[in-house]
Amino acid sequence: MLTWKDVIHFSVNGNPEPDKRVEKTEQEWKEVLTPEQFRVTRKKGTEAPHSGALCTAHDAGKYECICCGTPLFDSTIKFESGTGWPSFTQPIKKNAIKYHKDSSFGMIRVEVLCNTCDAHLGHIFPDGPEPSGLRYCINSESMQLEKEESHD
């Protein structure tokens, strides 16, 4: 289980190696993403709180990077943070997420990105539920939910 100490370590000393890398030009990203997905993931934008389609999603499945399809989070660790963005306590794998110190807007935060394609996902904060205490605050525009098939 990752902790805030691990997150800070990665943001200062380097991130775990991803399983693979996906790199495209800005034009190639524009061809496969909607304008809003491009603004959020490639230009480090943020969607308005409570506006994202995945804020209220509670279906079982995996949340994948909208840019490259890399699994990022499992629905079992999603929680209602009340912040207006989908929130998670842990990534699906230790090397799924990249952590970057963000000093924009006059504050210091830790930005989270897809470790496969460098898509901006959101930010992480040390105010989540136990046992990790982490809150990955993620833009809906940066993910897609691959729902588990029902076996009824």
Side-chain angles (χ1 to χ4, degrees):
M1 174 183 311
L2 291 176
T3 65
W4 185 245
K5 184 177 177 181
D6 298 320
V7 168
I8 296 302
H9 176 81
F10 291 146
S11 71
V12 172
N13 299 310
N15 290 282
E17 285 294 317
D19 292 340
K20 64 178 182 173
R21 289 287 302 157
V22 172
E23 297 186 24
K24 296 183 179 186
T25 66
E26 188 168 298
Q27 186 57 43
E28 288 172 320
W29 286 123
K30 283 182 178 179
E31 290 171 9
V32 296
L33 300 171
T34 68
E36 183 66 355
Q37 289 167 342
F38 181 82
R39 184 186 73 78
V40 170
T41 62
R42 309 321 303 180
K43 297 298 182 184
K44 301 184 185 297
T46 301
E47 65 200 18
H50 304 285
S51 68
L54 298 177
C55 284
T56 57
H58 297 288
D59 299 297
K62 306 276 188 270
Y63 289 84
E64 300 174 341
C65 177
I66 197 69
C67 294
C68 68
T70 296
L72 302 170
F73 302 100
D74 190 274
S75 62
T76 59
I77 48 84
K78 185 176 189 241
F79 71 99
E80 293 297 327
S81 65
T83 61
W85 291 276
S87 297
F88 304 87
T89 58
Q90 290 285 302
I92 206 161
K93 287 175 69 174
K94 182 179 178 179
N95 69 345
I97 302 292
K98 180 185 283 189
Y99 304 90
H100 180 258
K101 182 179 172 184
D102 177 1
S103 303
S104 63
F105 302 109
M107 62 182 112
I108 297 177
R109 303 179 291 174
V110 177
E111 176 189 15
V112 289
L113 304 106
C114 173
N115 204 17
T116 301
C117 72
D118 296 335
H120 170 75
L121 304 173
H123 290 85
I124 184 171
F125 303 95
D127 61 2
E130 293 300 328
S132 74
L134 299 178
R135 175 173 57 94
Y136 288 79
C137 189
I138 308 297
N139 291 287
S140 287
E141 289 290 335
S142 65
M143 299 182 297
Q144 61 193 0
L145 175 58
E146 186 64 38
K147 295 179 184 176
E148 288 181 5
E149 291 187 27
S150 176
H151 299 288
D152 294 335

